[in-house]
Amino acid sequence: MALPEQLVDRLSEKRVQTSGWSGRLMMFSGTVFFLSVAVYVGLIYGYEPYLESRVADLDKQIQTFAQQVPPEDQQKLISFYSQIANLQNILSEHIISSQVFDWLEKNTEASVYYSKFVLLSLTNEISLRGFSRTADDFAAQLSVFQNDPLIEKVAINSFTISSGNLWEFDVTLTLREGTLNKIVSQQ
């Protein structure tokens, strides 16, 4: 049996290939390219002139303000601001030694008291002369100082028994670098 002519014509025709993933990739790339060109053109011809006009307006405002305030007042204002900035810088680095007493009070044993306190902020040293009831009380106080992370070194200058059966001691505490600022900031 012979095939109909229309069927033979259909089978003999060459099929047209449809685009696959490469055609879709080209379409996506083209779309992204044209969108980026549109954004670029919008920024160059739309947003840049807007920003330039805003800058020009602000420059005009600055000039207007400069004309309203006399140059002598401007110099006074600049000088005053400079003084305030310098004062702020000095005070930020200033050590308030009274706050060291709070730290010392928190780190002193109950049976120990001090008769002399000298703070040498340039060398980060505290010199203490004090009294304890017993030698064990003094040892406990030394242990507190040695275990404190803010203290680098503890030096015992003297340790003797005094009149009244109290132990008199003289110690020098060497603080770690920047410790005085930490003590002040902890308060």
Side-chain angles (χ1 to χ4, degrees):
M1 179 159 165
L3 294 171
E5 251 182 69
Q6 290 176 348
L7 187 60
V8 172
D9 287 341
R10 251 192 232 167
L11 290 173
S12 64
E13 285 180 12
K14 190 172 185 180
R15 297 208 172 203
V16 177
Q17 287 187 340
T18 59
S19 61
W21 64 270
S22 62
R24 290 182 191 147
L25 181 63
M26 287 293 288
M27 183 66 98
F28 176 74
S29 299
T31 303
V32 169
F33 173 73
F34 287 118
L35 281 175
S36 61
V37 168
V39 168
Y40 175 76
V41 168
L43 287 174
I44 293 298
Y45 294 108
Y47 194 59
E48 186 177 19
Y50 168 75
L51 288 178
E52 288 174 356
S53 69
R54 292 286 296 154
V55 168
D57 289 343
L58 290 175
D59 285 340
K60 287 179 186 175
Q61 287 178 359
I62 290 171
Q63 289 174 354
T64 304
F65 178 72
Q67 291 172 354
Q68 289 176 350
V69 178
E72 303 85 37
D73 290 345
Q74 289 179 15
Q75 287 299 332
K76 288 178 185 177
L77 181 63
I78 291 171
S79 174
F80 182 67
Y81 175 77
S82 174
Q83 290 172 359
I84 288 177
N86 288 338
L87 187 60
Q88 183 180 14
N89 187 25
I90 289 171
L91 289 178
S92 69
E93 296 174 6
H94 181 68
I95 296 170
I96 302 171
S97 60
S98 64
Q99 293 177 348
V100 176
F101 291 119
D102 293 335
W103 170 82
L104 187 61
E105 180 181 3
K106 291 176 187 174
N107 292 296
T108 299
E109 291 290 313
S111 59
V112 172
Y113 70 92
Y114 304 107
S115 62
K116 179 183 170 189
F117 171 88
V118 177
L119 172 65
L120 303 170
S121 61
L122 293 176
T123 59
N124 288 330
E125 290 182 345
I126 297 175
S127 179
L128 298 169
R129 177 175 295 137
F131 296 92
S132 65
R133 289 185 189 159
T134 65
D136 290 337
D137 293 336
F138 174 68
Q141 182 60 56
L142 281 182
S143 176
V144 169
F145 286 148
Q146 289 173 340
N147 292 329
D148 192 319
L150 301 177
I151 297 176
E152 183 176 337
K153 182 175 83 172
V154 178
I156 303 169
N157 301 328
S158 68
F159 181 62
T160 59
I161 193 159
S162 67
S163 61
N165 292 333
L166 293 175
W167 289 91
E168 183 178 355
F169 61 89
D170 187 8
V171 296
T172 302
L173 308 175
T174 304
L175 304 172
R176 295 190 190 283
E177 194 67 35
T179 297
L180 290 174
N181 293 332
K182 287 180 187 177
I183 291 172
V184 169
S185 66
Q186 287 177 356
Q187 304 302 325

